[in-house]
Amino acid sequence: MITERDKLSDVISMNIDLLPITHRLGLSTHIGEKTIREICILFDRDVKFTLGILNTFSTANYLPNPEDMDLCPLIDFLTKTHEFHKQVTIPRLSGLIVQMKQLMPNEKLLIVVEDYLNQYIEKLIKHIDYEETEVFPLVRKRVEAKGKTQVSNLKKLFKQHTNVENELSDLKTIIIRHIPVQIDMNLINDLLHTLSHFEKEQLDHARFEDKILIPRLIALQAP
Amino acid sequence: MQTGNSVIIHSSPIIQQGLKSILLSRNIGITDVMVAVPEDTVLNTWKNMLIMVDTQFSDEIKKHAKVIKKNGNRIVGIETAVFFNKLDSCSDDILYVHDNLDTINQTLMEYLSGVSDVKSDNQLSHREIEVLTMVAQGYSNKQIAGQLFISIHTVITHRKNITFKLGIKSIPGLTLYAALNNLVDFQR
């Protein structure tokens, strides 16, 4: 478990996947030898919230105390995660497929995977847009009103929150089973690594929404 | 141990003998050697075969490609010209008579890796393959039940078994799997 006394540089060295997470938290510069607590004070961030995020992304099945996770910073974090996927992960995946298709234009696996991925991305962007235009503004409004405005059906509000991460897991499984003999192994490795990271991030993202965001909203509504 | 089956369609005895020798050295059985593309009634009986065919038969192969490919057969064109494939996209692969043994082995590996997939497919029952195909075609459980004259409960049981056996949970994933295994047309 990561604690406030740990140096952020040590935490990132132990798990490099946390670097983009610290970036989304606005903590990735001027790290030096500072502890997480010192960095949080420097950038005016909540220590418990920061630890909750870092531990969720570094420990399987970990869930922070919902009381430590304020909703507005959580929404900011989730929005930055959306941005990261739109600007980095999705173009990277599409680019790798294009590169492989240039080398093997008639390879059936690449043709069907590109089609699958395009449809997946379209669904994901639609889901992200729904959350950013419908769900998140409503959450902020409720926080500002201190829960006094009622939302009729929270589960209905999150109706589009489907388990899209299953589709990434399936895609990875199928690609591994059908790797063509003559494919560029470096590109296919990159693709599978990017898919694995993406799948894990999607799972963590869904965990935040299902286990923190929705229960916190329900608690806010309770008399 | 034999790991697959093939059909050779070529009029040249030299090429027939050469292919036989190479295929047998890779433990791929030879079901038939033909000098012309047969009728649909014969093509329909071929399943999970490696079809090694002279590209001179491009018109016949293109005409029957759908029938040949629907049962998981793999078409490899045999081309005597250099860097020219008359079969275009209807062949899964192409071998040129000047290709070295490494290239030929790689082409055969593509088929053999597919055969091992088909073996795991065979763990699905005939009924499960029917259900999987219909799921991939976008049919609902109710529609599948109606078409196959079974209850919705039975359809759900088949779907659970398919997911368990293949390790694939989502409908898009099952559709992708069905497309790669020639159960449905992948050009949507």
Side-chain angles (χ1 to χ4, degrees):
Chain A
M1 286 282 289
I2 300 166
T3 70
E4 61 182 352
R5 292 182 301 278
D6 289 324
K7 286 182 189 171
L8 187 56
S9 57
D10 290 345
V11 168
I12 295 171
S13 295
M14 291 286 284
N15 182 358
I16 198 69
D17 291 341
L18 290 178
L19 183 60
I21 306 297
T22 57
H23 184 66
R24 278 173 234 166
L25 288 165
L27 302 172
S28 55
T29 55
H30 300 96
I31 293 174
E33 296 281 311
K34 295 181 191 73
T35 63
I36 289 173
R37 183 180 175 74
E38 288 166 341
I39 296 258
C40 284
I41 291 166
L42 182 68
F43 289 100
D44 193 24
R45 297 289 189 277
D46 185 81
V47 179
K48 284 179 180 172
F49 178 86
T50 303
L51 287 171
I53 298 278
L54 292 176
N55 278 314
T56 301
F57 278 90
S58 61
T59 312
N61 300 322
Y62 171 85
L63 266 182
N65 180 359
E67 297 295 314
D68 295 338
M69 307 304 285
D70 280 344
L71 284 174
C72 284
L74 186 58
I75 295 287
D76 287 342
F77 180 80
L78 295 174
T79 305
K80 281 184 182 154
T81 306
H82 287 163
E83 274 169 29
F84 179 79
H85 291 322
K86 283 204 271 193
Q87 288 168 15
V88 179
T89 315
I90 291 171
R92 184 179 293 160
L93 285 171
S94 303
L96 284 165
I97 297 281
V98 168
Q99 269 181 281
M100 282 190 279
K101 272 191 80 185
Q102 279 168 351
L103 297 172
M104 299 178 81
N106 295 322
E107 174 52 50
K108 186 177 176 183
L109 176 76
L110 298 176
I111 296 168
V112 290
V113 163
E114 185 181 45
D115 185 40
Y116 183 96
L117 206 54
N118 286 342
Q119 290 188 34
Y120 175 80
I121 289 167
E122 198 181 310
K123 261 188 288 182
L124 185 69
I125 301 264
K126 210 170 158 187
H127 173 69
I128 287 174
D129 288 345
Y130 172 75
E131 286 194 340
E132 291 188 357
T133 56
E134 303 285 331
V135 182
F136 293 173
L138 203 61
V139 173
R140 284 185 200 282
K141 208 169 151 189
R142 294 204 60 227
V143 172
E144 280 162 19
K146 295 192 168 65
K148 280 175 190 163
T149 58
Q150 294 288 305
V151 176
S152 57
N153 190 341
L154 281 170
K155 281 183 183 159
K156 199 176 163 193
L157 183 68
F158 283 88
K159 68 183 185 297
Q160 286 203 14
H161 190 219
T162 52
N163 289 323
V164 281
E165 66 277 2
N166 272 346
E167 294 181 30
L168 284 179
S169 163
D170 288 346
L171 178 60
K172 206 177 62 185
T173 304
I174 291 167
I175 291 174
I176 291 169
R177 285 181 192 169
H178 291 85
I179 295 175
V181 175
Q182 285 158 322
I183 204 150
D184 184 313
M185 285 314 288
N186 292 328
L187 291 175
I188 201 91
N189 281 344
D190 275 359
L191 180 74
L192 288 168
H193 274 292
T194 310
L195 279 175
S196 293
H197 278 121
F198 196 20
E199 181 194 352
K200 188 183 174 301
E201 284 229 6
Q202 292 288 82
L203 283 167
D204 290 332
H205 191 87
R207 200 147 49 112
F208 270 123
E209 293 188 351
D210 292 342
K211 306 288 183 190
I212 306 286
L213 189 62
I214 297 175
R216 287 279 284 143
L217 271 173
I218 291 170
L220 203 62
Q221 188 154 289
Chain B
M1 197 184 77
Q2 199 171 297
T3 50
N5 266 311
S6 62
V7 171
I8 298 168
I9 308 173
H10 210 291
S11 55
S12 158
I14 295 172
I15 290 175
Q16 286 174 6
Q17 288 303 321
L19 286 173
K20 272 188 193 177
S21 158
I22 292 166
L23 290 165
L24 291 173
S25 74
R26 297 305 309 258
N27 295 322
I28 299 171
I30 297 152
T31 301
D32 217 333
V33 179
M34 300 176 158
V35 292
V37 179
E39 293 300 314
D40 277 1
T41 45
V42 177
L43 298 176
N44 270 316
T45 62
W46 293 351
K47 203 175 172 194
N48 306 325
M49 297 262 206
L50 176 64
I51 316 294
M52 307 207 75
V53 56
D54 185 351
T55 57
Q56 297 292 343
F57 298 120
S58 59
D59 288 345
E60 289 92 327
I61 290 293
K62 280 175 188 168
K63 193 170 138 196
H64 299 287
K66 209 165 181 179
V67 178
I68 298 174
K69 287 190 176 182
K70 75 170 181 183
N71 287 328
N73 299 304
R74 185 171 177 85
I75 302 172
V76 174
I78 307 295
E79 179 62 69
T80 47
V82 180
F83 304 127
F84 187 74
N85 178 8
K86 295 183 202 75
L87 284 175
D88 301 324
S89 57
C90 79
S91 69
D92 296 296
D93 220 328
I94 185 78
L95 276 178
Y96 298 95
V97 288
H98 302 289
D99 278 341
N100 60 29
L101 208 52
D102 281 350
T103 309
I104 296 170
N105 280 335
Q106 278 189 347
T107 304
L108 297 183
M109 275 298 291
E110 290 273 0
Y111 165 67
L112 290 169
S113 60
V115 171
S116 51
D117 271 350
V118 170
K119 275 183 183 165
S120 61
D121 281 357
N122 283 344
Q123 291 168 10
L124 294 184
S125 67
H126 178 70
R127 200 50 134 183
E128 285 162 355
I129 291 172
E130 279 182 314
V131 172
L132 171 62
T133 306
M134 293 183 79
V135 168
Q137 287 167 337
Y139 286 90
S140 67
N141 286 349
K142 196 177 168 186
Q143 287 171 315
I144 296 171
Q147 293 242 355
L148 298 180
F149 303 105
I150 54 178
S151 72
I152 290 182
H153 179 74
T154 308
V155 175
I156 293 168
T157 304
H158 283 314
R159 288 187 62 166
K160 278 183 187 165
N161 289 340
I162 292 165
T163 292
F164 177 76
K165 288 180 181 178
L166 300 181
I168 298 170
K169 302 181 197 82
S170 66
I171 292 177
L174 290 170
T175 307
L176 178 62
Y177 185 88
L180 278 168
N181 288 282
N182 301 310
L183 297 174
V184 291
D185 187 2
F186 69 91
Q187 283 168 332
R188 281 175 283 167

